[in-house]
């Protein structure tokens, strides 16, 4: 992930007519402002009539919507709209389309690649008041809700009904389901329940010109023509604004166990993973890891306690099943196997909710611990699973003393590494040593330079490391077809140069 | 499903310059032939140089490729091409695109909606010689292969390596993985492993103009831009020709059990399903049903034996898990529960491969038994699971003596009913009584008029029963963008009238 430098941020905020220019030497920089119209008094009057009390122009109230969670990208939008209905979203976009006004759709604003905040003065279209559950069918487990429902609220709603959401992530307390779908969020349960491309059954989307696409099916199977909803999953609001989602939710497991284990090498961690898949099979719901450097940061900044003896690597394994006795037996057999074969050096197991939460927090709060480390360069890489830690070690050698910390954690089960490099403060020389090295490394192993975070503003120009130019050109054609004026989330996802 | 009448078939075969005309009164009819060019000697010479010995023009050899498996749609193509490489497919399409020649991509030709055979004289592009496994990674379970690999061959290849394909269907002995992906095939394992939209990780596709789109990723997660492969999954060869597939394959389960049970009402069957999901949970891999009429046809035409006492409904339950003892215990507890509560009247369980196969054949061979019944009108409907048998019963009342048999079977776990109506021979009056009644019924319950079979030639004009016109219009735009000359599988998927 590329962090914009402070000088650029200042330009973002105050210089609208002159852009920053993106060049191969600086592909993470923001592009020049495109010639969109400005919000006029007439436009504001229209919004105020349409959304009385929900058209926000107070700069203080706009502040938190203009800056991303990492506080690395800041826009200068002067209007935040809070529609409650799909019809209102449609009217907003029709108005913006006719007047050539750029729009930045925003959910919980928890994205890590600058995709959810304006780059210049785009109108912010927030889904925060679109937070109603529409239907839930407790036979099929199909939930239909508005896009602005907070993930954790949906989780609580479903747990009361003996179901769970098929996705879970650290930002659950703030992120919106519409944002999750727009960014094809991965998270902690993907290993078990698959991606949103399979679990999302239907979407309602408002297109750039205000047309409403009602594809809110609640069917597990529907082969009547092209699966249009897939276009909007993971396209980061650049092709349409998702206003409602229907999603297939699994039954709440009757038994959940979490094991926290230590390994003395990554090779042993991988061997443990292979045993785990074989012996835990269908009850395995997560296999996550963090390295010793992550643990140090958790202890130092968040005062968390390592529950086992110090190890170079830590694993979080979760099982979720329908029979507590069977699950415990499987877990016990697995632990016995990996302990006696010395693959695992130490470990602890939790079956009780509070202890489970405490063990999970060791994995979930690494991102938070890193924010206390000065400045962090963040990368979200997919690789063949056996290569994921090689990148961390290689980067340590490559950077030497330039970096304060080079840490690795992530989703072993999905081949997804979160590589984070810290520094006391922003350091252009360090950045130049990291990029494009990290992307070249990833590309060489046919990995993805963005496994689950998306491209947003920060990574769009690195797309060619993971996608061939024919594919990027086709993406450009799709964008032009669905949003010919380019008003939806401009400067995001697509690179500056499509060739 | 709508069967073309024989008079129409004859017109298909012999009248090329004048179409049959599709009108609201006859939406299943083939449209007029579009003004594509004819295959000339110059074109043939090009193909013979490119594909020596693999450019088939002998009418006898072309026969089986011109007619579908149900023998209800027959085209009159004069050329069948058998490329072996993606580069050859690219050259074929570039040539066809430049000369405005229509192309019908064909896999195993097992489709049920007339999607895989030419309607007029389209060039048949067969994937039958593109049958090589490219790579298999036995750590991740990711298989990459050419599009023409037969599903059963892939299954066998994987089983030797302790993995299985994530999909299984009755046509496995003939169907190609490329055809499976093009039609987003569902089948018997969808309940457990999800749809191809989740398990397919990458595709290589040749576009209409010959460009090769190399998106053959082998990563579980990749959020770098729009997920282009989704456009080609389920679009029935109308947007591009799939030449290679990478797919995530599950481990081979260590234990498989199959139970064949009888229920005295559909309500009891649904209650059994609820118990089943709760008690078998994560090891449930299939929950299928057939009614007593299906059983009669299996006994009558295929001489299969009903292994349990006669019942109005039969269920096939499959479990697949990692621990035989645990699985048998779960299954035993479940069976005890449903037998003592009288939800199930009789049943038998198999753990041994031959007996498992025999029980499965009672479900898998219903389609075959129906082909012996004179003429069969076939429908493949998604509905809320509690409604699926209401349609069968309603149809029986509605048709009365007009139909010989009205039978229902299918995938309860997916809310997918196969409704089949038999008649001694083709019967326009019967057809008029079935359609559009069956589609209206489905539409009223927000179902899908094609759950897993696709639209192909036969159902394309019924799309509006399941999709709003905005969605169909967008499909038309996508088609125009990717295949501006409309040469790829014309007359398929999209309706004659896009409004």
């Amino acid at each position: 992930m590329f962090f914009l430098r402070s000088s650029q941020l200042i330009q973002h905020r105050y210089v609208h007519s002159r852009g920053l220019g993106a060049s191969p030497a600086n592909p993470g920089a923001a592009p020049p402002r495109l010639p969109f119209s400005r919000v006029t008094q007439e436009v504001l009057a229209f919004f105020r009539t349409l959304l009385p009390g929900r058209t926000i122009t107070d700069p203080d109230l706009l502040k938190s919507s203009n800056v991303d969670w990492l506080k690395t990208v800041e826009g200068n939008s002067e209007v935040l709209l809070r529609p409650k209905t799909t019809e209102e979203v449609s009217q907003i976009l029709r108005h913006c389309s006719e007047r050539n006004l750029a729009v930045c759709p925003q959910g919980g604003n928890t994205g890590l690649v600058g995709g959810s905040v304006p780059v210049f003065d785009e109108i912010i279209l927030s889904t925060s008041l679109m937070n109603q559950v529409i239907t839930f069918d407790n036979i099929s487990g199909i939930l239909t809700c508005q896009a602005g429902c907070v993930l954790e609220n949906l989780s609580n709603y479903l747990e009361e009904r003996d179901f769970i959401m098929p996705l879970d992530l650290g930002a659950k307390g703030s992120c919106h389901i519409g944002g999750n779908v727009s960014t094809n969020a991965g998270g902690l349960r993907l290993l078990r329940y698959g991606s949103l491309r399979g679990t999302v059954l239907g979407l309602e989307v408002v297109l750039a010109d205000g047309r409403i696409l009602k594809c809110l099916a609640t069917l597990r199977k529907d082969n009547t023509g092209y699966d249009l909803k897939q276009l909007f999953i993971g396209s980061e609001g650049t092709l349409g604004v998702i206003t409602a989602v229907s999603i297939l939710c699994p039954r709440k497991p009757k038994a959940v166990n979490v094991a926290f284990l230590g390994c003395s090498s990554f090779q042993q961690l991988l061997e443990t993973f292979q045993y785990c898949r074989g012996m835990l099979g269908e009850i395995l719901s997560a296999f996550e890891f963090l390295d010793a450097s992550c643990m140090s940061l958790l202890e130092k900044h968040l005062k968390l306690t390592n529950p086992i003896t110090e190890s170079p690597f830590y694993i979080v394994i979760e099982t979720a099943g329908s029979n507590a006795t069977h699950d415990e037996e499987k877990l016990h057999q697995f632990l016995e196997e990996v302990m006696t074969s010395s693959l695992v050096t130490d470990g602890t197991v939790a079956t009780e909710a509070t202890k489970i939460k405490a063990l999970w927090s060791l994995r979930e709060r690494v991102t938070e611990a890193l924010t206390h480390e000065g400045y962090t360069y963040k990368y979200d890489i997919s690789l063949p699973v056996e290569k994921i830690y090689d990148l961390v070690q290689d980067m340590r050698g490559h950077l030497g003393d330039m970096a304060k910390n080079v840490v690795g954690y992530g989703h072993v089960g999905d081949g997804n590494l979160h590589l984070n490099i810290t520094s006391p403060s922003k350091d252009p020389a360090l950045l130049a040593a990291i990029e494009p090295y990290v992307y070249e490394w990833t590309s060489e192993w046919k990995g993805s330079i963005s496994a689950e975070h998306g491209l947003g503003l920060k990574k769009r120009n690195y797309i060619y490391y993971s996608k061939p130019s024919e594919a990027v050109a086709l993406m450009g054609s799709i964008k032009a077809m669905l949003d010919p004026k380019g008003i939806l989330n401009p400067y995001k996802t697509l690179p500056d140069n499509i060739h």
Side-chain angles (χ1 to χ4, degrees), chain A:
Chain A
M1 187 182 300
F2 185 103
F3 290 150
L4 299 176
R5 298 175 196 93
S6 59
S7 61
Q8 293 173 357
L9 288 183
I10 290 165
Q11 285 192 53
H12 275 185
R13 297 173 72 174
Y14 302 111
V15 184
H16 297 308
S17 54
R18 203 163 49 82
L20 306 167
S23 68
N26 192 12
R33 185 184 182 281
L34 292 168
F36 295 112
S37 303
R38 307 280 173 190
V39 173
T40 60
Q41 286 306 316
E42 176 247 337
V43 169
L44 276 183
F46 172 83
F47 289 146
R48 286 186 178 129
T49 306
L50 179 68
L51 309 168
R54 294 179 281 129
T55 300
I56 316 300
T57 52
D58 179 335
D60 286 344
L61 295 175
L62 272 158
K63 212 171 169 108
S64 65
S65 298
N66 261 316
V67 66
D68 71 334
W69 182 78
L70 290 168
K71 304 214 186 313
T72 55
V73 179
E74 187 162 0
N76 192 30
S77 176
E78 292 167 359
V79 196
L80 165 69
L81 303 177
R82 288 194 172 134
K84 286 182 175 175
T85 66
T86 303
E87 186 51 40
E88 287 174 353
V89 175
S90 167
Q91 290 203 45
I92 292 167
L93 289 186
R94 190 171 302 121
H95 195 83
C96 290
S97 172
E98 284 165 0
R99 280 157 189 78
N100 197 35
L101 291 157
V103 176
C104 174
Q106 188 175 83
N109 195 14
T110 61
L112 299 173
V113 289
S116 59
V117 285
V119 177
F120 298 101
D121 58 346
E122 299 93 281
I123 293 164
I124 303 173
L125 195 167
S126 164
T127 52
S128 56
L129 298 181
M130 301 185 74
N131 55 7
Q132 302 297 306
V133 169
I134 301 168
T135 57
F136 176 67
D137 178 350
N138 64 4
I139 295 175
S140 63
I142 297 168
L143 171 78
T144 305
C145 66
Q146 284 191 296
C149 291
V150 170
L151 180 59
E152 192 164 50
N153 295 347
L154 292 176
S155 288
N156 293 339
Y157 175 92
L158 288 172
E159 290 207 16
E160 286 167 18
R161 287 154 182 85
D162 218 24
F163 282 81
I164 59 170
M165 287 297 283
L167 78 162
D168 185 26
L169 50 151
K172 61 183 160 236
S174 315
C175 64
H176 295 186
I177 186 68
N180 297 147
V181 174
S182 308
T183 57
N184 189 29
L188 306 165
R189 290 180 183 155
L190 190 134
L191 179 69
R192 174 69 169 272
Y193 301 113
S195 86
L196 291 170
R197 300 201 174 274
T199 51
V200 170
L201 302 179
L203 291 180
E204 181 187 69
V205 178
V206 180
L207 301 179
D209 59 7
R211 269 178 302 159
I212 302 172
L213 200 63
K214 289 189 183 177
C215 292
L216 209 50
T218 53
L219 303 164
R220 279 203 72 162
K221 284 175 168 180
D222 177 21
N223 276 353
T224 55
Y226 311 154
D227 190 6
L228 300 176
K229 69 173 182 286
Q230 299 290 346
L231 283 173
F232 305 98
I233 301 176
S235 55
E236 303 181 283
T238 61
L239 300 178
V241 176
I242 294 173
T243 49
V245 173
S246 67
I247 188 164
L248 183 66
C249 303
R251 286 281 187 102
K252 185 177 169 179
K254 289 181 190 141
V256 175
N257 297 290
V258 170
F260 192 86
L261 312 175
C263 278
S264 53
S265 74
F266 198 75
Q267 184 52 39
Q268 293 188 327
L269 183 149
L270 288 176
E271 283 176 44
T272 305
F273 179 47
Q274 288 294 75
Y275 272 104
C276 187
R277 288 205 295 187
M279 298 183 75
L280 298 180
E282 61 281 355
I283 64 165
L284 179 63
S285 57
F287 193 105
E288 301 281 315
F289 93 103
L290 51 149
D291 64 14
S293 307
C294 293
M295 184 60 84
S296 305
L297 298 177
L298 290 168
E299 292 171 325
K300 180 176 165 195
H301 298 300
L302 307 180
K303 312 293 172 215
L304 297 185
T305 309
N306 179 356
I308 62 174
T309 53
E310 243 175 68
S311 303
F313 296 95
Y314 300 93
I315 313 174
V316 183
I317 292 172
E318 188 189 76
T319 69
S322 61
N323 185 311
T325 316
H326 290 170
D327 293 5
E328 276 168 34
E329 231 174 86
K330 285 191 181 86
L331 187 59
H332 184 76
Q333 282 167 10
F334 158 72
L335 290 174
E336 202 167 79
E337 179 72 37
V338 291
M339 299 290 255
T340 55
S341 62
S342 299
L343 287 174
V344 161
T345 48
D346 190 15
T348 178
V349 175
T351 51
E352 191 264 313
T354 323
K355 204 179 161 205
I356 285 177
K357 207 171 167 185
L359 290 182
W360 260 122
S361 69
L362 293 164
R363 165 62 188 82
E364 287 189 294
R365 295 184 70 190
V366 175
T367 313
E368 185 190 340
L370 281 157
T371 62
H372 296 267
E373 264 294 279
Y375 203 81
T376 309
Y377 296 91
K378 297 178 87 72
Y379 302 90
D380 167 38
I381 307 286
S382 268
L383 285 168
V385 64
E386 62 275 22
K387 298 300 299 175
I388 63 177
Y389 208 73
D390 288 358
L391 175 55
V392 182
Q393 285 169 321
D394 194 337
M395 195 55 89
R396 281 189 187 131
H398 175 71
L399 298 177
D401 293 340
M402 288 182 79
K404 189 171 160 194
N405 267 304
V406 177
V407 313
Y409 60 103
H411 318 284
V412 177
D414 312 323
N416 182 184
L417 168 73
H418 296 311
L419 167 70
N420 283 245
I421 298 160
T422 72
S423 167
S425 60
K426 283 180 210 173
D427 182 347
L430 174 59
L431 180 62
I434 302 172
E435 298 182 12
Y437 185 87
V438 63
Y439 297 124
E440 285 166 356
W441 204 100
T442 304
S443 182
E444 195 181 323
W445 291 99
K446 298 191 194 310
S448 168
I449 60 127
S450 184
E452 58 177 12
H453 292 171
L455 297 172
L457 170 68
K458 293 177 178 176
K459 296 200 180 183
R460 70 199 188 291
N461 286 322
Y462 303 106
I463 191 170
Y464 293 103
Y465 285 103
S466 285
K467 289 283 161 67
S469 53
E470 292 82 2
V472 181
L474 182 48
M475 290 178 205
S477 303
I478 293 171
K479 172 72 175 176
M481 178 182 71
L482 279 164
D483 180 17
K485 295 184 174 177
I487 63 166
L488 281 178
N489 222 7
Y491 324 109
K492 314 287 171 63
T493 310
L494 294 167
D496 293 328
N497 300 310
I498 296 185
H499 45 75

